Amino acid sequence: MSGAALLLRTYGMPGMADVRETVAAAGVWAPLAFLALHTGLTVGPVPRTVFTLVAGALFGWAVGLVLTLVATNLAAVIAFALVRATGGRLVERYARGRAVNWVRLRLDHHGLLAVTSLRLVPAVPFAVLNYLSGLSAVRFWPYLLGTAVGIVPGTVAIVVLGDAVTGTPPPALIVASVVCGLVGLAGVVIAARRPLPEDVREPEPQPL
């Protein structure tokens, strides 16, 4: 620890510009390593927000956005496939409560629209929705399409925020970030107000 403190005192804390130069010098290996790490960890219950911010800070908004979207979709597909392949026994053990039932009812009865709208809701954890989708009756292609579309607004907003750490992004990106954030909030209304079949009893929604 004392050695690290001495180095920092001598050379100073590296700025984001220096970190980006180091990442750029690593060539293709840096984005590949980030992609693998992001995908692997977010298959489990690890929040993806940190990776999304870091992607913007390290690679800029354009490359960071591509990496994050690819990694997020890969993690979603792997988690979904694992639940389906194992019969969901482990996940089913913990899939209890009114909030979980509320989400599963929408996945069972609304498919693509349910996945898309729930992906827009910031309060619904990414990994939890992956697992519940695997347990539900939703088919793979509606799940994948709903995920690919639903994660875009929130991802754009956070990647642009991460990129802003390194400087001043173009005003158009700031506007896009705000708009995407508002679209994400609209997902709450869409998911909550979409009617269910009349013969389905709906529990009162609770926060996850």
Side-chain angles (χ1 to χ4, degrees):
M1 293 293 292
S2 60
L6 180 60
L7 287 174
L8 288 176
R9 191 178 300 116
T10 303
Y11 297 102
M13 180 71 73
M16 284 306 304
D18 298 323
V19 174
R20 275 193 173 183
E21 286 182 8
T22 302
V23 169
V28 71
W29 296 109
L32 287 178
F34 177 86
L35 187 65
L37 191 63
H38 185 337
T39 301
L41 290 180
T42 53
V43 168
V46 176
R48 72 185 188 95
T49 305
V50 174
F51 290 98
T52 310
L53 278 170
V54 170
L58 293 184
F59 302 102
W61 71 269
V63 175
L65 181 59
V66 171
L67 288 174
T68 304
L69 290 176
V70 171
T72 300
N73 280 288
L74 283 175
V77 167
I78 293 170
F80 181 90
L82 286 174
V83 173
R84 290 286 170 94
T86 60
R89 291 182 296 273
L90 178 61
V91 176
E92 188 77 55
R93 186 184 309 172
Y94 299 98
R96 298 287 186 269
R98 290 183 176 181
V100 170
N101 291 335
W102 185 80
V103 171
R104 288 184 67 175
L105 281 173
R106 279 158 176 77
L107 291 171
D108 286 338
H109 294 282
H110 294 312
L112 173 62
L113 180 61
V115 176
T116 305
S117 60
L118 288 168
R119 288 295 190 197
L120 291 170
V121 181
V124 179
F126 172 72
V128 171
L129 187 55
N130 294 341
Y131 306 149
L132 294 182
S133 297
L135 290 176
S136 75
V138 66
R139 292 175 296 171
F140 173 74
W141 289 112
Y143 167 75
L144 178 58
L145 179 58
T147 296
V149 173
I151 63 172
V152 170
T155 302
V156 170
I158 297 173
V159 168
V160 170
L161 178 62
D163 188 24
V165 173
T166 64
T168 304
L173 285 181
I174 298 295
V175 173
S177 177
V178 172
V179 170
C180 287
L182 293 175
V183 170
L185 291 177
V188 178
V189 179
I190 295 172
R193 295 175 68 94
R194 184 70 179 177
L196 292 168
E198 293 182 359
D199 59 341
V200 176
R201 175 178 292 182
E202 180 184 6
E204 290 295 325
Q206 299 289 333
L208 289 178

